[in-house]
Amino acid sequence: MNDEKPTASLLSRGNWSSGLGFVLAAVGSAIGLGNVWRFPYITGKYGGGAFVLVYIACVLAVGIPIMLAELLLGRKTHRNCVGAFRSLRPATPWVLTGWLGVVSGFVILSYYGVVGGWVLHYIYLSLSDGFTGKSTAEVSVMFESLAGNPLLQVAWQTLFMILTIGIVAGGIHSGIERGNKVMMPVLFFLLCALMVYALQTRGAREGLDFLLRPRWEQMSPAGVLEALGQAFFSLSLGMGAIITYGSYLGRETNLVRSAFYIAVGDTVVAVLAGFVIFPLVFTFGLEPGGGPGLIFQTLPVSFSRLPGGVLVGSAFFFLLAFAALTSAISLLEVVVAYFIDEQGWKRRPTTCIMGTVILLFGVPSASWSAVFDFMDKLATQYLLPFGALLIALFTGWVLSHGERRSEFHQAEISDFTYGGWSLLIRYVCPLAVAMIFLHLLRVL
Ligand code: TRP
């Protein structure tokens, strides 16, 4: 079994205090900038309704099965993403899958921190009443001047990373779990309230039409790949974040139900964000395909026209920053857990060192938008789908039926559900991801 050097004892690794605490933390990891910032602008880029449908299909057929696979690998081994593969198949190249996850954590957090910094900057702008009386064009200029100012971005990114490091250094229990329980529900209610407002604006009809009516002529294989990459990004899959979170779980947590709740909760929030953004895009005459600045250009304009807008705006960006933080900590935790478990490092110094290295690695993304775009593309279109493919192959084909089945206890999964999942993880997931890769390489 575990024949590599057991550098950290399992008992000292920490655990979630309850099943609910875990689900909330995993939901916290999943719900983040991916839902509120990335999903709307990608949907805008790929023509709305058709993209949303392909996205939902990706979540159901590929996302949920892989989420379950990652939870299984984590809980079975109680290890970080490298150790999980190492303990199940020692001395095989499968451990590279874990390393790929650590690399992905570096890449994603490096530019995620930049966007986290934007959100912090927008809290500051809202609090200082920076949007009141501004026209749509003026608000757009505000975003562009931030995006064109590397120093300012790095300053906010640094603050965001300091907050992330602070929480991860505190450890699983007291650091990560607590805030989630309050902030996630509040974010959800605020999004609902904003949706009610957005649906009453002039552009509501056009916005809904854009979001809901499938225009298949705008869908392409590239769009399918984007949808799949977005599903992995949004559900935190393909790099071992969910393996790592699953590793702090006890047997009593129902994995199947958890995977389902996490995926559904995440998707509901993404679609909700779409219901807020697109009516506003059309009301204020913005470009739906406007790219990464989309929420930073639409929302402030509407906040500036809303009674109590300063308050609503500040609250919104504050909660978004919180959602971004609960995701960022899961990215950093993957990297940190590797060094703690496998190299025997101490949590605090590891967190500070790795957090700083990632911050420095993210400075080019803050300075040049081409680097930012490259990192985002590298992560969502290559690293995450490839990681997810390997996780699916490992769980479906390398692990034996007995190894898979025995991790689930009786009440957790029926034979029928297990059979369906096996089919998806063995055939559907690998084929779907592989086909898209082949298409990218122009083989298909
Ligand atoms: N899911 C988060 C979001 O939507 C981002 C994230 C956190 C992530 N952990 C991850 C993405 C692990 C990929 C892998 O904002």
Side-chain angles (χ1 to χ4, degrees):
M1 287 282 291
N2 278 332
D3 62 357
E4 91 279 17
K5 51 182 185 323
T7 35
S9 98
L10 288 183
L11 286 176
S12 67
R13 293 182 81 244
N15 259 314
W16 305 110
S17 64
S18 65
L20 181 67
F22 156 74
V23 171
L24 282 172
V27 168
S29 164
I31 295 176
L33 296 167
N35 308 63
V36 181
W37 160 72
R38 203 170 187 283
F39 178 79
Y41 95 75
I42 300 280
T43 303
K45 208 164 114 190
Y46 284 91
F51 181 86
V52 176
L53 285 181
V54 174
Y55 176 76
I56 291 174
C58 288
V59 169
L60 292 177
V62 181
I64 293 180
I66 291 188
M67 164 117 15
L68 190 53
E70 287 205 22
L71 287 173
L72 178 141
L73 294 177
R75 191 177 70 177
K76 197 171 173 62
T77 56
H78 293 293
R79 289 268 146 172
N80 63 89
C81 64
V82 175
F85 290 96
R86 187 174 279 161
S87 74
L88 286 166
R89 288 295 178 274
T92 62
W94 282 105
V95 59
L96 292 175
T97 310
W99 280 338
L100 187 72
V102 177
V103 171
S104 309
F106 265 87
V107 172
I108 298 176
L109 189 50
S110 74
Y111 73 92
Y112 204 86
V114 176
V115 187
W118 294 350
V119 177
L120 294 182
H121 181 68
Y122 272 69
I123 299 181
Y124 163 76
L125 285 178
S126 325
L127 282 177
S128 56
D129 203 6
F131 304 129
T132 311
K134 293 273 193 301
S135 68
T136 311
E138 283 169 321
V139 170
S140 291
V141 168
M142 283 169 103
F143 177 75
E144 278 147 25
S145 64
L146 170 68
N149 185 343
L151 219 62
L152 185 62
Q153 289 185 87
V154 172
W156 287 109
Q157 180 195 6
T158 307
L159 180 60
F160 182 82
M161 289 303 293
I162 290 175
L163 294 172
T164 308
I165 291 169
I167 302 173
V168 176
I172 288 304
H173 198 137
S174 44
I176 299 181
E177 214 177 310
R178 261 187 213 150
N180 270 309
K181 288 192 184 169
V182 189
M183 305 276 216
M184 281 297 155
V186 183
L187 177 70
F188 182 75
F189 282 114
L190 196 65
L191 269 178
C192 289
L194 282 174
M195 180 182 73
V196 171
Y197 162 72
L199 290 180
Q200 288 167 3
T201 58
R202 249 179 317 115
R205 181 177 293 274
E206 233 181 317
L208 289 185
D209 182 69
F210 180 82
L211 186 65
L212 299 176
R213 195 162 55 83
R215 283 169 298 272
W216 291 108
E217 66 284 359
Q218 286 169 354
M219 205 31 169
S220 60
V224 180
L225 179 64
E226 280 274 10
L228 193 67
Q230 170 64 18
F232 292 145
F233 185 88
S234 191
L235 296 172
S236 303
L237 296 176
M239 62 157 287
I242 301 295
I243 297 183
T244 308
Y245 272 22
S247 76
Y248 303 116
L249 274 180
R251 295 275 297 167
E252 66 290 345
T253 307
N254 187 323
L255 295 189
V256 182
R257 206 180 295 154
S258 306
F260 190 74
Y261 285 160
I262 298 166
V264 170
D266 187 71
T267 307
V268 167
V269 171
V271 174
L272 204 61
F275 277 111
V276 176
I277 303 297
F278 289 108
L280 299 177
V281 166
F282 289 98
T283 300
F284 299 115
L286 289 152
E287 178 50 51
L294 194 60
I295 64 160
F296 298 101
Q297 290 165 335
T298 41
L299 291 175
V301 186
S302 27
F303 293 148
S304 74
R305 285 159 176 69
L306 209 62
V310 174
L311 201 74
V312 180
S314 316
F316 177 82
F317 283 114
F318 177 79
L319 290 166
L320 184 58
F322 184 81
L325 268 177
T326 55
S327 301
I329 56 186
S330 75
L331 288 161
L332 186 55
E333 177 64 22
V334 170
V335 176
V336 168
Y338 163 72
F339 285 98
I340 294 177
D341 285 358
E342 303 298 305
Q343 310 291 344
W345 295 14
K346 294 253 174 321
R347 177 170 280 273
R348 271 166 197 272
T350 313
T351 312
C352 294
I353 293 169
M354 289 303 142
T356 310
V357 171
I358 293 172
L359 169 65
L360 293 176
F361 190 60
V363 169
S365 293
S367 311
W368 296 286
S369 68
V371 178
F372 181 100
D373 292 343
F374 173 79
M375 292 294 177
D376 182 57
K377 192 168 173 158
L378 176 67
T380 56
Q381 304 207 5
Y382 295 90
L383 297 175
L384 296 180
F386 192 54
L389 173 66
L390 293 177
I391 288 169
L393 289 175
F394 184 83
T395 314
W397 295 94
V398 176
L399 290 188
S400 67
H401 167 75
E403 280 173 303
R404 274 197 303 276
R405 191 70 179 97
S406 63
E407 179 54 30
F408 294 115
H409 42 84
Q410 277 308 311
E412 206 167 29
I413 196 167
S414 66
D415 284 338
F416 180 76
T417 313
Y418 177 81
W421 173 69
S422 294
L423 221 64
L424 289 171
I425 202 77
R426 290 173 64 120
Y427 299 99
V428 176
C429 298
L431 278 178
V433 182
M435 264 168 52
I436 288 165
F437 272 130
L438 290 180
H439 181 85
L440 268 189
L441 300 171
R442 309 255 181 275
V443 183
L444 255 176

